[in-house]
Amino acid sequence: MEEDRIECVTTSSSERLYEAEVNYPQNHIHNHNQSSKSRRKLTSPLIPSTTNSVVEIFECPVCAHAMYPPIHQCHNGHTLCSECKARVHNRCPTCRQELGEIRCLALEKVAESLDIPCKYSSYGCLETSPYYIKLKHEALCNFRPFSCPYAGYECSVVGDIPFLVSHLRDDHKVDMHSGSTFNHRYVKANPIEVDNATWMLTVFHCFGQYFCLHFEAFQLGMAPVYMAFLRFMGDENDARRYTYSLEVGGYGRKLTWEGTPRSIRDTHRKVRDSHDGLVIQRKLALFFSGGDKKELKLRITGRIWKEQNLESAACISNLCS
C-alpha cells in the first residue's frame, strides 16, 4: 500500500527542499528495521554484572529481575518473585512442584541488610542503596536510560543521549541541524482531510545539547488544530536552563509562543495533550497559508537560548556559601 507523504520544506543557512513522511497513528502501521547496533542496545540487560554471589541469589528465575519481599518458594526451596508467582499458575518454574503460600523469610531478612549498586551503574550511576529502597531510587535515577523520542509510532529503543542521537539519525533518518535558530515550512495538500497526523521529527544541536522539534495535527475537543513544540534530550532539571520561542504568521498577523522545552522523560503525547506549545487553530493556519483552504503552507520560525540568570544565581550562591 502506498504511503501518504507530506512535503516538508526546511530552510537553514542554505535553503533546501525535502519530502518528510507523515504518520497517521490510527490508520498506518510502520515496520521499523533497527540496526544491529540498536538491537544490541535494546536487548542487552541493564542490570550490571556483579561478582557478588549474594546479590545473584535475588534474581528471579522467570523474569530475571531482582526479587523483593514477598519472596515465594516451593517445597524444594526454589524461589521466585511475587509478580511471577501468578504468571506460572502456582507451579515452580524449576521443579514444577506446587508453590503454595510459602514465603522465603530467610531471604527476605537478608535483603533488609544488603546495600546494592543501582542497576544503571553501567550508565554511570555510583549510588548504592539498601535493598528495600533500591526500586525507589531506580525509578528516579538520573542515569536511567531515555526512551526514543521519535513520534508517529511507539519505538521501544532505550539508551543514553549519544546512543539515541545516533539511533534517530541512522534508523529513523530524522533531519539533523546545528544551530539555535530555525525556519521550517510545513506543506500539505487538502489539509481539511487530515485531522490526526505527525510530521517527521527534526533534531537540533546547540549549546552542546540536543532538542527535538515536533509538529502535529490533532483534535482539540471538537476543533482541529496544529501544534509545534520542543523537547529537550536530557533530564527536566537541565531542560529548565533553556528557553525557546516559536512564531507563525502571514498577511499581517502572527502568533508567538515562548516557553521551556519539556524533557523527553515526558512522552510527546503527554506534552501534546497538555497543550504546552504553539497551538494553531486550523482556520487560522489556513488563513496564514493563503486562505484558499486547498493547501497548508505554514512557515514556523524559532530560536533556542540558554538562560544566563540561572548560572548567575548559582555563581552568587557559591560565593555566599
Side-chain angles (χ1 to χ4, degrees):
M1 182 175 63
E2 183 178 356
E3 293 185 342
D4 296 294
R5 301 181 71 83
I6 286 182
E7 180 188 13
C8 180
V9 181
T10 301
T11 60
S12 56
S13 55
S14 58
E15 186 162 327
R16 61 192 180 87
L17 308 183
Y18 68 95
E19 275 197 324
E21 182 179 293
V22 61
N23 302 291
Y24 296 89
Q26 296 178 346
N27 301 322
H28 290 67
I29 299 176
H30 292 264
N31 252 339
H32 174 49
N33 296 319
Q34 299 173 358
S35 67
S36 59
K37 179 181 178 183
S38 298
R39 288 195 295 270
R40 287 197 299 271
K41 187 71 172 182
L42 178 61
T43 58
S44 61
L46 293 175
I47 301 177
S49 60
T50 176
T51 58
N52 191 335
S53 59
V54 176
V55 174
E56 293 175 352
I57 292 174
F58 288 91
E59 182 179 289
C60 174
V62 178
C63 64
H65 294 162
M67 296 184 292
Y68 293 86
I71 300 174
H72 297 273
Q73 71 173 29
C74 71
H75 292 280
N76 293 324
H78 303 127
T79 57
L80 79 164
C81 70
S82 57
E83 291 186 2
C84 290
K85 181 175 182 289
R87 293 170 55 190
V88 298
H89 306 292
N90 205 37
R91 289 284 177 182
C92 174
T94 304
C95 65
R96 307 304 299 167
Q97 296 295 314
E98 186 175 353
L99 287 169
E101 298 298 329
I102 304 174
R103 293 268 295 275
C104 187
L105 300 180
L107 205 55
E108 291 180 9
K109 191 70 174 178
V110 172
E112 295 178 0
S113 64
L114 287 179
D115 281 339
I116 299 179
C118 173
K119 72 176 182 179
Y120 302 126
S121 61
S122 60
Y123 288 95
C125 183
L126 302 178
E127 187 79 18
T128 58
S129 306
Y131 194 82
Y132 56 90
I133 65 170
K134 179 173 177 281
L135 284 180
K136 292 181 179 179
H137 161 75
E138 290 172 351
L140 300 174
C141 178
N142 290 333
F143 291 91
R144 69 191 188 278
F146 295 88
S147 297
C148 174
Y150 190 77
Y153 66 91
E154 298 300 325
C155 177
S156 59
V157 171
V158 299
D160 56 21
I161 298 302
F163 171 78
L164 288 181
V165 170
S166 298
H167 165 67
L168 288 170
R169 181 187 64 240
D170 300 336
D171 297 334
H172 292 297
K173 310 299 182 184
V174 304
D175 203 34
M176 312 290 289
H177 291 269
S178 294
S180 58
T181 60
F182 47 90
N183 187 343
H184 272 36
R185 187 159 67 95
Y186 296 96
V187 180
K188 175 67 176 82
N190 302 317
I192 294 180
E193 299 176 4
V194 179
D195 289 334
N196 192 2
T198 300
W199 273 257
M200 177 62 77
L201 184 72
T202 305
V203 176
F204 297 93
H205 181 234
C206 57
F207 307 107
Q209 306 289 344
Y210 290 90
F211 301 82
C212 300
L213 177 64
H214 297 262
F215 187 72
E216 301 194 13
F218 64 100
Q219 292 284 130
L220 182 54
M222 298 298 293
V225 299
Y226 299 96
M227 181 176 173
F229 57 93
L230 201 71
R231 286 199 293 163
F232 174 76
M233 294 188 69
D235 282 306
E236 182 180 354
N237 290 337
D238 293 325
R240 294 195 188 105
R241 299 176 180 270
Y242 301 91
T243 303
Y244 75 101
S245 64
L246 297 173
E247 181 177 302
V248 62
Y251 299 93
R253 307 289 190 274
K254 70 178 179 179
L255 285 178
T256 60
W257 164 267
E258 184 175 308
T260 301
R262 296 278 287 272
S263 165
I264 60 171
R265 296 285 188 202
D266 293 332
T267 65
H268 84 282
R269 184 173 294 275
K270 180 179 179 180
V271 179
R272 189 200 74 177
D273 291 347
S274 67
H275 314 145
D276 193 2
L278 178 65
V279 179
I280 314 161
Q281 298 290 333
R282 178 191 279 171
K283 289 183 178 180
L284 187 56
L286 294 177
F287 172 79
F288 290 152
S289 301
D292 59 7
K293 299 183 180 180
K294 295 181 179 179
E295 188 175 36
L296 176 73
K297 292 184 292 186
L298 284 182
R299 184 175 293 277
I300 296 181
T301 60
R303 183 170 71 94
I304 306 167
W305 65 93
K306 193 171 185 178
E307 291 292 351
Q308 299 298 326
N309 58 336
L310 293 176
E311 293 184 347
S312 300
C315 292
I316 293 173
S317 175
N318 290 335
L319 288 174
C320 295
S321 60

